Amino acid sequence: MAFINEYISDEDREKYNIDDLYIRENPRLIRKGLSDNHKLNWTIDRERDSYLMKVRVGREELSNRSTWILNLQGQEIKIKIDRADGGSLTYSDLPYIVIWNLVDIELVNVTDITNKKVIEVLKEALIEYGDNGVNVYVDNAVVKFNF
């Protein structure tokens, strides 16, 4: 099995403590929490018990920056990436191209996982994520990396 894009089921939200994770990464939600109808999504590889989930999107001058959690078999890695210049600007582009820059990898309390392994799995998951994961706007996006 490989990575797939999907909405996170209630069972998986509970199993992986997704609501707590999302709220932790979005402090503005601490008081009010997530609404019951807030549909979260991820790119998951169930065989490897690993997932990639976007948890925050930048604002203003950092609007192209996003923060993700890559969970590799129970170990959480926080990753910051930017949409790079040179990618498609309109969904009518054929092929539609997404280019990523790596900003930061946080390997806090992570054991037996190297940066090289993180980057390898991250690229694999982002290729499947394509343009916008389960909320895809364009099929068959070409995903490239500047890292």
Side-chain angles (χ1 to χ4, degrees), residues 15-17 21 24 45 48-51 69-77 108-111 113:
K15 176 181 177 181
Y16 293 98
N17 296 314
L21 165 70
R24 183 182 75 224
D45 183 332
R48 291 189 281 184
D49 193 27
S50 299
Y51 66 81
I69 296 297
L70 177 62
N71 185 307
L72 294 177
Q73 300 165 333
Q75 297 189 74
E76 289 182 9
I77 301 138
V108 178
N109 298 323
V110 174
T111 58
I113 299 176

Side-chain angles (χ1 to χ4, degrees), residues 4 7 13 24 41 49 53 55 69 105 130 143:
I4 59 169
Y7 290 107
R13 283 173 80 153
R24 183 182 75 224
N41 64 84
D49 193 27
M53 185 175 93
V55 293
I69 296 297
I105 296 175
V143 181

Side-chain angles (χ1 to χ4, degrees), residues 3-145:
F3 280 102
I4 59 169
N5 298 312
E6 65 181 28
Y7 290 107
I8 306 173
S9 70
D10 291 340
E11 295 80 20
D12 283 335
R13 283 173 80 153
E14 187 174 325
K15 176 181 177 181
Y16 293 98
N17 296 314
I18 295 297
D19 290 11
D20 292 343
L21 165 70
Y22 197 81
I23 291 168
R24 183 182 75 224
E25 295 299 325
N26 293 278
R28 72 190 190 310
L29 297 174
I30 289 173
R31 275 202 211 129
K32 64 180 181 176
L34 288 172
S35 67
D36 289 339
N37 62 355
H38 191 98
K39 288 190 93 161
L40 296 171
N41 64 84
W42 60 10
T43 302
I44 185 168
D45 183 332
R46 292 190 185 281
E47 190 172 286
R48 291 189 281 184
D49 193 27
S50 299
Y51 66 81
L52 178 69
M53 185 175 93
K54 187 187 309 184
V55 293
R56 180 186 265 161
V57 177
R59 298 184 185 270
E60 297 170 9
E61 69 275 357
L62 295 176
S63 63
N64 63 332
R65 178 158 303 158
S66 50
T67 302
W68 303 67
I69 296 297
L70 177 62
N71 185 307
L72 294 177
Q73 300 165 333
Q75 297 189 74
E76 289 182 9
I77 301 138
K78 187 185 292 190
I79 299 170
K80 292 182 182 177
I81 54 178
D82 286 346
R83 289 285 284 256
D85 292 337
S88 293
L89 299 176
T90 176
Y91 287 116
S92 61
D93 288 354
L94 294 175
Y96 184 84
I97 298 172
V98 177
I99 305 171
W100 292 105
N101 287 330
L102 179 63
V103 176
D104 189 37
I105 296 175
E106 290 183 31
L107 293 173
V108 178
N109 298 323
V110 174
T111 58
D112 301 325
I113 299 176
T114 64
N115 269 358
K116 181 179 178 182
K117 180 65 175 175
V118 169
I119 290 170
E120 174 186 310
V121 175
L122 174 64
K123 285 181 176 181
E124 185 181 339
L126 285 172
I127 288 169
E128 179 59 30
Y129 181 80
D131 165 54
N132 199 23
V134 73
N135 299 307
V136 65
Y137 296 113
V138 60
D139 291 326
N140 303 317
V142 175
V143 181
K144 299 180 178 185
F145 306 96

